[in-house]
Amino acid sequence: MSKDKLGLNTICTHVGEIKDEQFKGAVSPIYLSTSYEFIDVDVKRYPRYFNTPNQEYLSKKIAALEHTEAAMIFGSGMAAISTMFLAFLKQGDHLVVQNTLYGGTVNFIKEEFPKYGIEYTFTNGYKVEDFEAAIKSNTKLIHIETPSNPLLTITDIKAVAELGKVKGILTSMDNTFASPVNQLPMDLGIDMVMHSATKYFGGHSDICAGAVASSEVHIQRIWNVGKNLGGSLSDMTVWMLERSMKTLGLRVKAQTKNALKLAKWLDKHPKVSKVHYPGLKSHPEHKLAKSQMSGYGAMLSFELNDDIDSQQFQKQLKLIKSSMSLAGIESTMLSPHLTSHSLLTQEERDKVGISNQLIRFSVGIEETKDLKRDIDQAIGKMS
Ligand code: PLP
């Protein structure tokens, strides 16, 4: 049966399974060997070569989910993005990168690129004109993130991909927030997609991993650098990730449904001054989001009224955890100015619109009525 004919949940459940020929077990066996035979074999396997059986097979699932040919799994999202960047950028090259970006990616670029002699420009905004204006004669890669963290801005994926094609520049994208359940960037022309698999791919807040998906040719180039940098993942974790990804479609769809309900509710809440969620008609890029996403995702952010201390509010929550990461089946909240964007200066945060009242909300699978009740009781304690 052809892989492209399979539906989302079938890909999640079955693509990349390793058949247990010996005992006919229902799930993939786990191969923990770090040493494999080298005589008369087609593939010389070694964990740091990203090609142990579990790594090889799970990569097939990720490639199928992202509608592309190949993928690689890494020890973290940052290992994935740094390896991808270093595979396509060398001394004297230039990267155009969106200004509203995950803070860790910003730090990587600012702290490491000067050591390699790689130039970069952060765009002034997230419109296609902003990317075009930042291009230089030595630009080799354009990198975008949409929806962005934590303000859920939406970049026109197709327009940026086309800009890259016209100018002969490769494009890459962080698809962590939407996941392939809600958005397929490679169908819109993007060359490479990366994920913090610590988020929706893992989904249970117990795995740290990353992934890149692209054509065979690009993945080969990433592999050439990846084997030197050594950011591969242990097979135990790869196996856990495979198990988690079987429910990716079910989880993310349920979380997305909950997020839309909560965004609408928060938008009308008297103690909330602003809600950032692309599924709301009031979101500046709602129409664009509708055209390029099949669901609006399970991440949103909101700003509490000035009379509520956002830290104290989070301390009063009983069900929703204050937590650094995101995308688990449990709902979590955090203050970006104290976490993901704490390394930016106040001036930089003000420039991109990250106020101290902003709370990022990763919506889980709980019943929305319980989540609403939790938020209301916490607000109630503040007034
Ligand atoms: N990209 C996004 C959008 C993220 O939110 C994160 C982490 O929070 C990363 C990349 C980095 O992933 P990791 O923490 O798995 O290295």
Side-chain angles (χ1 to χ4, degrees):
M1 198 173 174
S2 153
K3 259 196 291 184
D4 9 287
K5 298 259 160 57
L6 299 177
L8 173 70
N9 286 321
T10 315
I11 296 175
C12 288
T13 316
H14 291 299
V15 174
E17 277 181 300
I18 303 177
K19 288 230 165 355
D20 178 2
E21 301 290 1
Q22 197 175 4
F23 299 109
K24 314 289 178 203
V27 302
S28 300
I30 172 166
Y31 292 91
L32 290 173
S33 275
T34 55
S35 185
Y36 289 83
E37 183 161 335
F38 67 95
I39 301 168
D40 296 335
V41 293
D42 296 335
V43 185
K44 292 198 172 31
R45 296 189 192 272
Y46 185 61
R48 185 168 46 78
Y49 293 172
F50 300 87
N51 64 2
T52 55
N54 291 89
Q55 290 183 86
E56 183 187 318
Y57 277 73
L58 180 56
S59 296
K60 293 180 203 287
K61 192 193 296 290
I62 294 171
L65 282 168
E66 286 290 356
H67 289 191
T68 188
E69 294 169 357
M72 276 171 71
I73 309 150
F74 292 85
S76 68
M78 286 313 300
I81 199 161
S82 54
T83 308
M84 181 180 78
F85 281 167
L86 295 178
F88 290 91
L89 297 165
K90 59 178 187 329
Q91 186 177 19
D93 288 344
H94 176 252
L95 168 76
V96 169
V97 59
Q98 188 168 323
N99 65 343
T100 46
L101 208 62
Y102 166 63
T105 310
V106 174
N107 295 336
F108 171 66
I109 293 168
K110 285 189 175 169
E111 290 170 19
E112 305 304 328
F113 275 24
K115 298 179 198 165
Y116 291 86
I118 301 169
E119 296 170 29
Y120 58 87
T121 303
F122 283 94
T123 56
N124 277 329
Y126 48 89
K127 308 276 180 206
V128 67
E129 306 83 76
D130 298 311
F131 289 90
E132 187 156 18
I135 290 173
K136 301 207 300 196
S137 58
N138 54 344
T139 305
K140 292 288 161 24
L141 185 65
I142 301 174
H143 181 74
I144 63 173
E145 188 179 310
T146 178
S148 71
N149 179 15
L151 290 170
L152 288 301
T153 60
I154 302 292
T155 300
D156 189 334
I157 302 173
K158 209 170 168 185
V160 174
E162 271 165 20
L163 174 70
K165 299 243 171 343
V166 169
K167 303 274 183 191
I169 301 168
L170 286 175
T171 50
S172 61
M173 182 175 145
D174 189 328
N175 200 24
T176 300
F177 262 37
S179 92
V181 176
N182 285 318
Q183 183 169 266
L184 291 161
M186 303 205 54
D187 283 357
L188 299 169
I190 291 289
D191 295 305
M192 294 173 282
V193 163
M194 62 73 48
H195 282 270
S196 168
T198 317
K199 310 300 175 329
Y200 290 107
F201 281 12
H204 296 75
S205 308
D206 55 8
I207 290 172
C208 182
V212 179
S214 188
S215 63
E216 299 271 8
V217 175
H218 292 330
I219 289 294
Q220 179 62 45
R221 194 157 157 180
I222 296 168
W223 183 84
N224 289 341
V225 174
K227 71 176 194 313
N228 294 337
L229 295 180
S232 61
L233 193 59
S234 101
D235 282 295
M236 190 69 93
T237 315
V238 174
W239 187 89
M240 280 176 69
L241 189 55
E242 190 212 333
R243 187 177 69 167
S244 299
M245 289 187 69
K246 291 183 184 187
T247 57
L248 177 76
L250 294 176
R251 285 186 276 109
V252 175
K253 283 197 172 180
Q255 289 171 264
T256 298
K257 207 169 152 194
N258 275 358
L260 182 59
K261 282 189 194 163
L262 283 157
K264 285 182 177 165
W265 177 76
L266 285 167
D267 202 35
K268 293 206 175 84
H269 202 289
K271 296 289 182 188
V272 172
S273 61
K274 190 150 181 58
V275 180
H276 306 267
Y277 186 66
L280 291 179
K281 290 206 174 89
S282 55
H283 187 285
E285 291 95 30
H286 172 68
K287 279 202 184 122
L288 176 60
K290 198 171 179 180
S291 72
Q292 64 186 26
M293 301 178 84
S294 53
Y296 302 104
M299 296 301 300
L300 61 95
S301 56
F302 61 96
E303 285 163 57
L304 286 167
N305 289 352
D306 285 340
D307 59 327
I308 300 177
D309 182 322
S310 64
Q311 292 312 108
Q312 291 305 323
F313 160 75
Q314 286 173 78
K315 281 189 191 161
Q316 297 301 334
L317 292 165
K318 292 201 160 77
L319 202 58
I320 301 167
K321 295 186 172 84
S322 283
S323 180
M324 283 280 283
S325 199
L326 63 110
I329 49 166
E330 67 285 339
S331 292
T332 59
M333 286 187 185
L334 64 68
S335 298
H337 77 287
L338 296 176
T339 53
S340 58
H341 291 68
S342 62
L343 295 176
L344 301 190
T345 62
Q346 180 74 48
E347 197 188 350
E348 285 170 325
R349 280 198 296 270
D350 288 345
K351 205 171 155 206
V352 288
I354 297 170
S355 78
N356 292 2
Q357 289 302 91
L358 184 75
I359 294 178
R360 192 185 74 186
F361 189 2
S362 170
V363 181
I365 61 167
E366 303 93 334
E367 303 301 326
T368 46
K369 70 174 171 38
D370 297 326
L371 298 171
K372 289 178 189 171
R373 202 181 304 145
D374 195 24
I375 293 169
D376 268 341
Q377 68 78 26
I379 287 178
K381 292 212 175 97
M382 308 300 305
S383 356

